[in-house]
Amino acid sequence: MPSNTKEKNAVLIRGFVPYTEEKGEEYMNERQLEHFANILNGWKRELMEEVDRTVTYMQDEAANFPDPADRASQEEEFSLELRTRDRERKLIKKIDQTLQRIEDDDYGFCDSCGVEIGIRRLEARPTATLCIDCKTLAEIKEKQIGG
């Protein structure tokens, strides 16, 4: 069962109607929060459906191959699927945390400096917790420490 999480997520995120701001509109007002809650809930629903498809697929395809090479191929395929599902499980947890931030009226502002993250950045990455400047700095620091 081919699965490309990044491609699937990109398609989902591209599939929404971009938010149209009205002149003088307050940042992260009720309409904007609803917009992002809808994006996040749709994304979560897609991920949950993918988990269900994987479980069904693995149950249907599980076979006890007498040939060790066939058995190893199936085990490797299942292992890849399970790693992908594990990443998606972590993403679902992050989506749930983000939905909680919306509920707590703490969504859309940078965790590091407190400025607005921005509508377009949040539409590109709805779970973002840092503004683009702080995220860029964090990546630079990460590269310096890691490299």
Side-chain angles (χ1 to χ4, degrees):
M1 178 162 118
S3 176
N4 185 335
T5 304
K6 282 187 177 183
E7 181 179 300
K8 191 171 257 316
N9 292 346
V11 169
L12 172 74
I13 292 175
R14 275 190 235 119
F16 70 90
V17 176
Y19 186 83
T20 306
E21 296 176 69
E22 295 176 7
K23 188 173 179 159
E25 182 177 22
E26 183 184 348
Y27 182 71
M28 283 303 128
N29 62 40
E30 193 173 320
R31 226 178 93 221
Q32 291 175 7
L33 292 173
E34 182 181 342
H35 172 73
F36 288 107
N38 288 337
I39 290 171
L40 289 159
N41 281 314
W43 195 9
K44 181 180 174 180
R45 189 171 38 257
E46 287 268 329
L47 292 168
M48 297 296 285
E49 288 169 2
E50 190 63 33
V51 167
D52 291 343
R53 281 191 289 274
T54 298
V55 170
T56 301
Y57 169 75
M58 290 179 78
Q59 288 171 341
D60 292 347
E61 296 299 315
N64 190 2
F65 292 110
D67 179 40
D70 290 341
R71 196 165 49 250
S73 291
Q74 183 184 52
E75 287 175 11
E76 179 63 20
E77 182 182 340
F78 283 3
S79 176
L80 287 170
E81 281 295 322
L82 291 173
R83 281 199 300 267
T84 300
R85 295 297 86 78
D86 188 52
R87 283 192 302 275
E88 290 174 345
R89 180 187 56 77
K90 290 174 183 171
L91 180 54
I92 289 169
K93 184 177 179 182
K94 192 169 186 175
I95 290 170
D96 285 338
Q97 291 169 343
T98 304
L99 287 166
Q100 186 59 53
R101 288 180 70 132
I102 289 173
E103 285 291 315
D104 296 343
D105 204 25
D106 190 31
Y107 181 71
F109 297 92
C110 180
D111 281 354
S112 183
C113 70
V115 303
E116 297 175 359
I117 293 174
I119 300 290
R120 298 300 163 240
R121 173 158 166 68
L122 289 169
E123 284 179 334
R125 182 163 297 278
T127 57
T129 58
L130 298 174
C131 69
I132 195 68
D133 291 338
C134 290
K135 181 63 177 171
T136 302
L137 280 173
E139 288 174 354
I140 290 168
K141 287 177 186 175
E142 189 177 303
K143 285 179 185 174
Q144 288 175 344
I145 293 171

